[in-house]
Each structure stands twice: as C-alpha cells, then as structure tokens.
Amino acid sequence: MPGTGFDIYRKVPKDLTQPTYTGAIISVCCCLFILFLFLSELTGFITTEVVNELYVDDPDKDSGGKIDVSLNISLPNLHCELVGLDIQDEMGRHEVGHIDNSMKIPLNNGVGCRFEGQFSINKVPGNFHVSTHSATAQPQNPDMTHVIHKLSFGDTLQVQNVHGAFNALGGADRLTSNPLASHDYILKIVPTVYEDKSGKQRYSYQYTVANKEYVAYSHTGRIIPAIWFRYDLSPITVKYTERRQPLYRFITTICAIIGGTFTVAGILDSCIFTASEAWKKIQLGKMH
C-alpha cells in the first residue's frame, strides 16, 4: 500500500513467531511489575506534597505591624479579681490590666481562675505577663502556680503534613512549683506562611521557648510574683507550600516505566531463549 514505507512499527507475521513458557512467565512478571510501579506513581500524583523553604522577610506586611495572640492559662490558687494581663514593648507601650477580648472563669469554687484572652502585640521585642499588678489591693502571698493550655500567635494552622511548634507551651504544668516564684518564658517567634494549591496564604507563627523560675522582690522587700512571656522575633521566615506533581511529568514517568520494563524484559527473554537454543544444539551434538 502507498505510504507503508514510512511505518516504523512494522509487524512480524504471527507464523514467524515462537511462543515459549519462559516468555510467558516473563510477560506475566513484567505486567505485575508495571502495575505495581503505576499504582505507586498514581499515589504520588494524587497526593499533595508540602515543601518548605526559608527566607529573610516580613511575610505579613498588611498586618499593620501587629501579631494576634491567643492565651489560655489556669491559676488554681489565685482569685479572678487579682488576675490581670499587662503588656509592654520597646515602642513604649505599657498597658496594665488589659481586658479587651478576655474573660476570667472562676475555678475551684472561686478559689482559682482561668484566664482566656485574645490581644495583639507589636512586631518589636517586648513582653506580656499575668500578674496581680492591676489588682486594687495586692495580696499578701499570691500563688502563681499555673497550667498553660494554649499560647499561640497568628492564624491557627491545622495541616496534617506540617508539624511545627505553633503551641509549644500548650500543656506546660507548673502546679508543683514554688507558689511565690515568678516564671520567665523566653520566646523566639518565627514567622510562618502556609500557601495552599490555590495560592491562598495563611500567616502564623511558631516559637521556641526557654524558661526559668525565681523569686522576685519589690523595692519594699515584698514578693510580687508574675508569669512573664518575653518575646523577640526571628528575621527568618518559614514558608510551607502545597504542590502536586504536574500531569506531564506523571505521563512521562508512566511511559518510561512501560517502555523501560518491556525493553529490559525483552532483553532478558532474548538472552534466556538464545542460551536455551545454544544448550539444545550442544545436547544434539553430543547425541550424534
């Protein structure tokens, strides 16, 4: 037929081919191997991969230089009317008894208190602390033993493939500490960005923590304990990005698997068949 000279996939007549048991076994193994690799690649293709990178920048420039903070802490031996939150930083902010977006829940029949608050801090070194500084009258022996349920910064990230220190102090238990001791939690806050497949970004903050416990005296010699959270920001930003393997790469890989497997299997079958034919000729030679 005209044009058949261009056919690079020329066919061999079936009566010129010879099926063998070895070829059948290799063919079955070859198909099973291709199926296994195909399923592995398909799983990788439909699974979202999260990659991370580090860079120096302030990722959330639209925040107005603020970071949202969520604090949840229980003081089982301090009355709610004595508990207060104070905030200060290097920009001159000094707020005693912060009450916006916060509430106090009595514990142990009013003996203790659970403080829950949402507030913002400036992106400069500073501190916020739970103390009795805002109380009308200072108690004689305030008990600052406590349990921290939550301390987080920025948006809450609940992503399966990201395991970061977004609530590093969650579960911190200081109930067996000296009741009159002050507690210093020194935090290094690391900006974190999470970008999903659609390009939407969420801004959060991880942090590392070191702590110490000590007894602090006022200028009058009285012990005035407090729970201090002293923070500083890292210039390094961690970015997590969701990625999925491109379709063209998946198709290329599948073609490579099929082509490579059949090629290797063909070479193996040819070697076995050639060796088998040579052995038969040797045996026939011995018989004659």
Side-chain angles (χ1 to χ4, degrees), residues 131-183:
S131 68
T132 61
H133 298 165
S134 60
T136 305
Q138 292 297 315
Q140 188 63 33
N141 293 307
D143 188 333
M144 283 294 168
T145 54
H146 60 277
V147 176
I148 301 173
H149 306 288
K150 180 183 180 182
L151 175 61
S152 62
F153 301 86
D155 295 339
T156 300
L157 292 182
Q158 294 181 342
V159 184
Q160 184 177 3
N161 295 328
V162 175
H163 304 285
F166 297 100
N167 186 24
L169 276 174
D173 188 330
R174 300 294 182 268
L175 295 179
T176 58
S177 300
N178 181 355
L180 297 177
S182 289
H183 300 265

Side-chain angles (χ1 to χ4, degrees), residues 205-257:
Y205 297 84
Q206 304 181 63
Y207 62 93
T208 59
V209 58
N211 68 284
K212 63 179 179 179
E213 180 182 326
Y214 59 95
V215 176
Y217 295 88
S218 69
H219 62 279
T220 60
R222 291 185 58 185
I223 299 177
I224 305 181
I227 304 169
W228 297 81
F229 301 92
R230 307 181 191 274
Y231 62 87
D232 193 5
L233 273 78
S234 169
I236 303 297
T237 295
V238 180
K239 183 178 182 181
Y240 298 98
T241 306
E242 288 185 353
R243 290 181 184 172
R244 179 169 286 179
Q245 183 180 346
L247 179 61
Y248 72 86
R249 185 177 298 175
F250 172 70
I251 295 174
T252 302
T253 304
I254 295 303
C255 291
I257 289 173

Side-chain angles (χ1 to χ4, degrees), residues 34-144:
I34 289 175
L35 179 62
F36 169 73
L37 292 181
F38 172 78
L39 293 176
S40 299
E41 286 297 322
L42 181 62
T43 301
F45 174 68
I46 63 178
T47 301
T48 300
E49 179 187 14
V50 177
V51 297
N52 61 77
E53 58 180 313
L54 303 176
Y55 61 91
V56 179
D57 194 10
D58 178 11
D60 191 9
K61 295 182 175 65
D62 298 329
S63 64
K66 302 285 187 180
I67 300 175
D68 293 328
V69 184
S70 178
L71 175 64
N72 188 331
I73 184 171
S74 291
L75 297 93
N77 301 306
L78 195 63
H79 292 279
C80 281
E81 61 266 21
L82 300 174
V83 176
L85 176 69
D86 310 326
I87 308 171
Q88 57 188 27
D89 60 35
E90 292 186 0
M91 289 184 68
R93 181 182 183 183
H94 191 181
E95 186 176 348
V96 179
H98 178 87
I99 58 174
D100 294 338
N101 299 319
S102 64
M103 62 179 178
K104 303 174 186 178
I105 304 171
L107 300 175
N108 304 330
N109 297 319
V111 175
C113 185
R114 179 168 180 153
F115 178 88
E116 299 181 10
Q118 308 279 339
F119 55 96
S120 63
I121 57 176
N122 294 315
K123 291 184 178 180
V124 295
N127 74 80
F128 51 92
H129 52 277
V130 177
S131 68
T132 61
H133 298 165
S134 60
T136 305
Q138 292 297 315
Q140 188 63 33
N141 293 307
D143 188 333
M144 283 294 168

